[in-house]
Amino acid sequence: MERWRGKVAIVTGASSGIGAVTVKALANAGMITFGLARRVERVDELKKDLSAEAVDRLHSVRCDVTKEEDILAAFQLVEEKCGGVDVLINNAGQLKGAVSVLDAGNTQVIRDVIDTNVVGLALCSREAFQSMKRRSVDGHIVHINSILGHTVATTGKLNVYPASKFAVTALTETMRHELRLAGTKIKVTSISPG
């Protein structure tokens, strides 16, 4: 982590779960950390779990990754405050269980999952890459995927969640090739918790 001390991280979906743990860990490790979330007050509450030294390194930013204008505004804010992003953790995700792909009237659920898990991830990755490229930063983009991005469970109603996570797997490989072809040293990683 020493390489990243004083560098800037953005974590999406920072208000709970993996995102909340991640922003605390990065701020405590010395990174200037921006936690993006719809429920920004929950990110602010995380400061009470930080060391006195780390509190000033955690910044909360209201951002719904299903809205491009929110994403653009968040990345602009980070650029204005700190020059740009060095590490992006794409953690925001939705699993709207108990709704089948074949259930009537499920259109909004399908859109919410795809817009959060796939489109939001792609747009945040694009903005992070552009920031890194403009500043010639050898940064890192991390996608929090799922084991369901590699195999589909045969139980339960998972709607399009597995399809969205398979898309994350494919997007990671697509980005890896694009980064290589662009001649950058920016890395992209997919992590698949189970």
Side-chain angles (χ1 to χ4, degrees), residues 46-66:
L46 298 173
K47 290 184 177 189
K48 69 178 189 245
D49 298 329
L50 296 177
S51 68
E53 171 204 4
V55 168
D56 291 336
R57 287 195 292 266
L58 178 57
H59 307 276
S60 58
V61 179
R62 188 172 308 280
C63 180
D64 180 342
V65 299
T66 67

Side-chain angles (χ1 to χ4, degrees), residues 157-170:
K157 292 184 174 185
L158 296 171
N159 198 278
V160 295
Y161 183 81
S164 75
K165 292 302 185 171
F166 266 82
V168 171
T169 300

